[in-house]
Amino acid sequence: MTNSNQKTDMSVFENLESEVRSYSRSFPTTFEKAKGYHMWDGNGNSYIDFFAGAGALNYGHNDDAMQQKLIEYIQSDGLLHSLDMATNARAEFLKKFNEVILEPRNMSYKIMFPGPTGTNTVESALKIARKVTGREKVVTFTNAFHGMTIGALSVTGNAFKRHGAGIPLTYSMAMPYDDYMDGYDSLDYLERMIQDGGSGIDLPAAIILETVQGEGGINAASFEWLKKVEELCRRLDIMLIVDDVQAGCGRTGTFFSFEKAGISPDVVCLSKSISGSGLPMAITLIKPEYDQWGPGEHNGTFRGNNLAFVTATEALDYWKTNEFSESIEEKSGLFQKRLYQFVKDYPELEGEVRGRGLMLGIASKKEGLAGQIAAESFKKGLIIETSGPDDEVLKMLPPLIIDEEGISKGLDIIEESIKAVLGKEEAKV
Amino acid sequence: MTNSNQKTDMSVFENLESEVRSYSRSFPTTFEKAKGYHMWDGNGNSYIDFFAGAGALNYGHNDDAMQQKLIEYIQSDGLLHSLDMATNARAEFLKKFNEVILEPRNMSYKIMFPGPTGTNTVESALKIARKVTGREKVVTFTNAFHGMTIGALSVTGNAFKRHGAGIPLTYSMAMPYDDYMDGYDSLDYLERMIQDGGSGIDLPAAIILETVQGEGGINAASFEWLKKVEELCRRLDIMLIVDDVQAGCGRTGTFFSFEKAGISPDVVCLSKSISGSGLPMAITLIKPEYDQWGPGEHNGTFRGNNLAFVTATEALDYWKTNEFSESIEEKSGLFQKRLYQFVKDYPELEGEVRGRGLMLGIASKKEGLAGQIAAESFKKGLIIETSGPDDEVLKMLPPLIIDEEGISKGLDIIEESIKAVLGKEEAKV
Amino acid sequence: MTNSNQKTDMSVFENLESEVRSYSRSFPTTFEKAKGYHMWDGNGNSYIDFFAGAGALNYGHNDDAMQQKLIEYIQSDGLLHSLDMATNARAEFLKKFNEVILEPRNMSYKIMFPGPTGTNTVESALKIARKVTGREKVVTFTNAFHGMTIGALSVTGNAFKRHGAGIPLTYSMAMPYDDYMDGYDSLDYLERMIQDGGSGIDLPAAIILETVQGEGGINAASFEWLKKVEELCRRLDIMLIVDDVQAGCGRTGTFFSFEKAGISPDVVCLSKSISGSGLPMAITLIKPEYDQWGPGEHNGTFRGNNLAFVTATEALDYWKTNEFSESIEEKSGLFQKRLYQFVKDYPELEGEVRGRGLMLGIASKKEGLAGQIAAESFKKGLIIETSGPDDEVLKMLPPLIIDEEGISKGLDIIEESIKAVLGKEEAKV
Amino acid sequence: MTNSNQKTDMSVFENLESEVRSYSRSFPTTFEKAKGYHMWDGNGNSYIDFFAGAGALNYGHNDDAMQQKLIEYIQSDGLLHSLDMATNARAEFLKKFNEVILEPRNMSYKIMFPGPTGTNTVESALKIARKVTGREKVVTFTNAFHGMTIGALSVTGNAFKRHGAGIPLTYSMAMPYDDYMDGYDSLDYLERMIQDGGSGIDLPAAIILETVQGEGGINAASFEWLKKVEELCRRLDIMLIVDDVQAGCGRTGTFFSFEKAGISPDVVCLSKSISGSGLPMAITLIKPEYDQWGPGEHNGTFRGNNLAFVTATEALDYWKTNEFSESIEEKSGLFQKRLYQFVKDYPELEGEVRGRGLMLGIASKKEGLAGQIAAESFKKGLIIETSGPDDEVLKMLPPLIIDEEGISKGLDIIEESIKAVLGKEEAKV
């Protein structure tokens, strides 16, 4: 499968859009339509999507049922915008989320609509933790990514993004994630630093973490480590915030990424795929005893994106039984088998398979290699990105609804691209 | 016009949603549909909308043409979510915004998609100003409102919202807005403070302002003051950011609220009504010489809300001629005439008419009165809110497409409510 | 009186001392001895001292009685250094300060030894105000000078000094001092900003001020303004800190500079002349109800400079009667008469007389003129400095024990220098 | 040797001095005189001094030669106070410090007088490092102590002291000191965190450290670790600041505590014993290429404590040959022998010998034990303190000029006190 060489004219973006644009540089074509795990550009080229809107399209593009609901809602003159007023669409989402997600898992949380983006749910989580505890500092981990607004950026690790703030980022303390200090227990260190009255490390309001770090390089924390973090939080009276924006909504196999770890975060951040359709939406789950907001203490114009509520409600159907969850595990198995094979077959990759569920990657020690493979894959019809501090990880986030054929074809393209890139590399030598 | 007394069951919101919810408390009913300047709840009550989603629905609810475009786009399997990849919907918006808005006004700006909310465009504006100047502090004004994330909240005046941060808010300097110091030139003061090497006020990166402060109490800065602010910025090499999130998109009579002031901001923030339909969207306009971002230095998952692009493009048709602008001025005249009459007829209000275009209000010196009138108006079928640091302003933000009948009916309800509230007040005595 | 032209060799300072040195540049000679209001350098030149160690030598150099006490103390093997252990020298100072200064003025304060410098007493004052109120921000005024360590520097106005911090200085709010906003009540503005829930100005922990700003340009606040500041503090529950480091110890005519204003600060900072002899010492006076320190919560190695205690105790003899105070007023009268005459006789100065007691100055609108007069005066045998954000004020801080002859001779030198400088200026034209 | 039980009246301190006082609580008597390593109180009790003004009296109390010089200087009407003007006393110190200390060690530094206290030299060091590098953050270590003003406190570890700030302490990053992470290379961790673009740890301006942490619990860094820190600084272009306030001036055996480690810090902070006599004085040594101050960019009233310069110059005689250095090593040997014996003989101490030179301690794992031994020792005529985050270390800082008899007697008192305290402990059981 090779796409036509006809190049899309990107001048409208180059001339009118800010230099900050990024993905239109990695994938230099103009997309026209998309369905399931396929995308098509204006030149008739088709692409398999292994990126899924950076995890915002777990249910694929343009799910039929969601499309139908959207059209019905629009045709009925349903409110598109309603701030945080009560609407039918909002009520239905609240009820169904409680019934399908929270109750069966014995989870008791108040649901907050903090504004429709990931950075917004993180900002609201940090605020409530600081309000509840009366403390300022928040522990974050190496390679964490939590968002671009100043509050969320302060707990984000990436130096390039941090530098963009233009002001010193404060009230956060970066600590080593899971096995960052090979052979040394990073939580022993964290606990000792917090407990030690002479360490210069103040008792934090909260610890915020991703169970699998997406932007940070597909680093999956062990369940044991997560359990230990929770214990530490309980012991020292620190709030635990899980940022499940990218790893949640089924991406790692269960609805919440932390279910198998058996932990109970005080605050959970969800966004990206929560709307089901890729429309902007976010929620913050807060244990009832910590829901100490005053009315409107955190607000925002787009807390009532009703089209998002409509598809979000529809998407919850996927979670009525265990079937969807099991299918993700199965597909993850298929993926991993091939990835391990790649690492074995192409030792020049100096590769390492990482991840959990359908949040997977191959880290390569060869500088720039992951990026070359991604670029080559795009030419061959696959949308795939890299992550990690040095873009050293080829990251795979296919829509969870992908089928075996899609997985095969996508992985075939990756393999061909690996060969092509390694061939070039050899040719250089 | 009185609505049925049948009370909607709000328990789903009370039980499941966070205590942070606010408008569902002021307007305790569940809305079902809306069209133009009308809204209907589940009990069959109808309401005139003088709130317009806090300025996000300038073109009213469910504009026919926009609905049609949405349905067509969905049916064509157009991409709903695309990060900041190139899509047809994005390209068309860029081109038409340039043709219809920027070029006819001789404005040259690069267009940034900073994430789909107002707070996001403000955060991006602050970042670029700090990056370009290498300075940290930003001058903001009394009663400013710029958003809820830490960067934007730092330049926001409201004490209750600021307190919600849980951390000290820094790198901002609050200065008196326009005529805040009655009889003393606030800009002379500001300039002197900045120029004076002994003042303790550092040279700021930028001045950020709203030309009419919506949340702050419908305070409209004079064009003369705005012009002087611009001159100050040029003289001292400070960047000028206009946050046109609420006052822009025609709200004050022209597309940008600063057109009649004749100023040329370095950065302009737009959100709320930019999508036309109330769908989440924001853009940041940056003068080309200041567009010094690195690729992806500010990013976000929902920079590509294509449904919003589709309706945003459609909405630009309103601006192809001067007609729409003129009609806003006319309606503003109708409104103001009645408001001045109210203030005259009901001296007990101790009222003052404020605002510009269709961003109007009556400030009352009587504590709590504006809130009582708003509550009474809701019972009588009008959606209206208050603003100002003490909620002392009855704020009117009708959809710009409202007709004479709507204006009349809405203002009649207000007058009836004034009477009812003042009657009660009297009765108390 | 002209000094020999024999130039001292300053190479030891130029070669070995850091570029940060300043007064050895303004007064380029090596001093050998000093007595009363006279200083002599190694070349046998004598100087009249109108600088008095920037206010640290109010009782002149090498007071006979103090010298005697020092020698006796040293010969008795009294402890020179004792941290904050109890010593006889410390006890005697405490008792006599209470008897001679506090009790007769009906003042009740606990005495803290915060480390022996002005910046240290300011840092301790800010800490206790923040601890007592639980708030962070402190209001400071334009042209304030409180010290060079980060806490004190944050409430200091001078841009050059602030820039030296290398980090953003925060938790302070600079407000206009006294009549800074000619014709507008700066305290009305301050109160309005603090009271206004929408101003972006948080309720501060404290207001810190100098009653006469020395470094800031010899700006003397009116007693009325000081009284109003105190009332504001009481009304809003803000702590009032008077930094009397330079204006205290008799400099303005009374022991505390605020006595005639009739105010009662919550915290008073004293240093400079408190030791009497120019030896390093500082105390912080704290109203008993606010003395909420834990033991050692603020400490420092040199809190027990016993030689300073010995001379400080001796110096208190000056304050046993009103005589000293009255003599300062008299001398101030002599000074002011001549200064007003200068301003009248030399209109080219565009001069303005400023100050109170023996903290006086002539501000000149002509750029650089004050500095030229000071430099010329040094050549003619007078030690005198400038202050103000642009060094526009010729500052006079003679030892309070100066006699009529000294005043005359010093002022004669100034007049000659004015003539010389203005002559040169004319010659230029 | 037991002191009389006659209790000094401490009421003057209790009534008049602030609650912040500390050592007058630990040593509740009023001291009258002192000589060498002896102190006497007003009741005729004598004490051996194992505290030496927390390291400010390395040459003992009231050295005969220094006393003589002081008296001569005072009698000659030498300037006591001179800001940073040139005086003979200042010139002589500069020349002799260069000749006796810097030149023989091939060290090239500019000498800055930053104000006369330890916290002041640290503040100046942080400022110049930030100015030179243009960066804000400074790496500090667990259990570091650098001073009480906000800049220095921000790089200090002690939670109680930090809490006293009343504001969040920022721009610092606490990292594990030397062997803090038993069995894991703390510098590997530090380097990895700084180098990793995803760690959230920004490139710092400087690393500040004490080679032996006094207040932090007599933790002596290995020379190997110090060397590695220097290499790290060179590799990553970070400035290295050694705070030698307590460990310098011979305390660890050599004039600078880092001489044997063979490192060359960019900035060195000296205070405490630099004046020789315990009079307030501090200097900051800055490599010439980093001496980028503007004149007066950091200043202070007491930069010219001439009495301190006089004794400081005299004290340098101790360093003209190696003899003094060798004698410290010898005495250290005597001390250590006994301390190791104590630990062995009294296993109930659960003791660990720590330190270097005459900066020694016994850490006890038994909560409160070190404090009890210190209190008992005081009763028996020994001045000794504890340190460490939990006051778990019995700290020994005798004057370096102590003789064998003094060492013996002091250690005998400690041994008796250990017995007494352990006996009581046993008795309790």
Side-chain angles (χ1 to χ4, degrees), chain A residues 137 170 198-202, chain C residues 123 127 149-151 154 167-171, chain D residues 119 122-123 126 130 136-142 144-159 161-175 208:
Chain A
K137 301 272 178 83
T170 47
S199 69
I201 295 295
D202 309 318
Chain C
E123 295 261 349
K127 278 188 187 176
T149 49
I150 294 300
S154 296
I167 51 172
L169 297 172
T170 47
Y171 310 120
Chain D
T119 199
V122 169
E123 294 261 348
L126 298 175
R130 284 165 171 148
E136 288 111 1
K137 301 272 178 82
V138 171
V139 166
T140 178
F141 292 103
T142 48
F145 181 91
H146 298 290
M148 285 291 108
T149 50
I150 295 299
L153 191 51
S154 295
V155 289
T156 288
N158 188 284
K161 307 280 189 200
R162 288 174 69 83
H163 188 254
I167 50 172
L169 297 171
T170 45
Y171 310 121
S172 63
M173 303 182 285
M175 286 286 162
I208 186 167

Side-chain angles (χ1 to χ4, degrees), chain C residues 31 57 73 83 113 123 128 134 227-228 237 267-268 283 289 325 345 387-388:
Chain C
F31 295 97
L57 290 160
Y73 187 83
L83 293 157
F113 297 92
E123 295 261 349
I128 198 65
K227 192 76 197 157
K228 274 190 181 173
D237 191 27
V267 180
V268 181
I283 60 174
E289 61 268 35
S325 202
D345 291 350
S387 77

Side-chain angles (χ1 to χ4, degrees), chain D residues 29-95:
Chain D
T29 193
T30 305
F31 295 97
E32 207 170 70
K33 59 180 196 165
K35 192 79 181 176
Y37 60 84
H38 283 101
M39 298 167 71
W40 293 270
D41 69 15
N43 299 323
N45 299 312
S46 81
Y47 301 85
I48 290 173
D49 188 358
F50 267 24
F51 191 23
L57 291 160
N58 284 359
Y59 311 98
H61 296 268
N62 286 309
D63 176 274
D64 286 340
M66 294 186 205
Q67 282 182 315
Q68 196 48 42
K69 292 283 180 182
L70 281 178
I71 289 170
E72 282 168 17
Y73 188 81
I74 293 166
Q75 283 173 338
S76 76
D77 287 333
L79 284 84
L80 296 196
H81 181 277
S82 57
L83 294 158
D84 75 342
M85 295 176 199
T87 63
N88 288 347
R90 188 185 197 87
E92 277 163 33
F93 170 75
L94 284 168
K95 280 185 285 189

Side-chain angles (χ1 to χ4, degrees), chain D residues 6-37:
Chain D
Q6 199 187 329
K7 215 182 160 182
T8 311
D9 178 14
M10 302 294 284
S11 64
V12 60
F13 304 100
E14 286 157 12
N15 295 338
L16 301 178
E17 200 175 333
S18 160
E19 292 300 319
V20 82
R21 72 191 182 282
S22 56
Y23 291 120
S24 57
R25 299 175 194 257
S26 316
F27 310 115
T29 193
T30 305
F31 295 97
E32 207 170 70
K33 59 180 196 165
K35 192 79 181 176
Y37 60 84

Side-chain angles (χ1 to χ4, degrees), chain D residues 246-323:
Chain D
Q246 186 161 150
C249 299
R251 176 53 58 190
T252 66
T254 48
F255 184 81
F256 295 107
S257 72
F258 52 80
E259 293 179 34
K260 288 195 180 162
I263 62 173
S264 170
D266 301 303
V267 181
V268 180
C269 299
L270 288 174
S271 182
K272 289 203 188 268
S273 279
I274 186 68
S275 78
S277 56
L279 292 174
M281 177 174 168
I283 59 175
T284 311
L285 304 178
I286 305 170
K287 284 194 176 163
E289 60 269 35
Y290 299 135
D291 182 31
Q292 299 173 10
W293 291 108
E297 197 171 356
H298 181 97
N299 63 9
T301 296
F302 298 112
R303 286 164 293 166
N305 185 6
N306 289 281
L307 290 187
F309 297 160
V310 165
T311 54
T313 305
E314 184 64 25
L316 293 172
D317 279 352
Y318 278 97
W319 299 98
K320 286 187 163 166
T321 68
N322 276 333
E323 220 174 296

Side-chain angles (χ1 to χ4, degrees), chain B residues 356-415:
Chain B
R356 180 173 292 143
L358 285 173
M359 192 168 184
L360 296 165
I362 297 179
S364 166
K365 283 188 183 143
K366 283 222 175 131
E367 200 184 322
L369 201 68
Q372 291 171 47
I373 296 169
E376 186 66 29
S377 296
F378 173 69
K379 286 189 206 151
K380 295 183 193 304
L382 183 72
I383 305 292
I384 189 166
E385 250 295 340
T386 59
S387 78
D390 302 312
D391 293 320
E392 76 280 16
V393 181
L394 191 69
K395 181 169 73 168
M396 284 155 250
L397 299 174
L400 307 180
I401 51 76
I402 198 168
D403 55 22
E404 278 194 47
E405 191 192 336
I407 295 174
S408 264
K409 282 189 178 169
L411 289 169
D412 288 347
I413 292 178
I414 291 177
E415 184 158 14

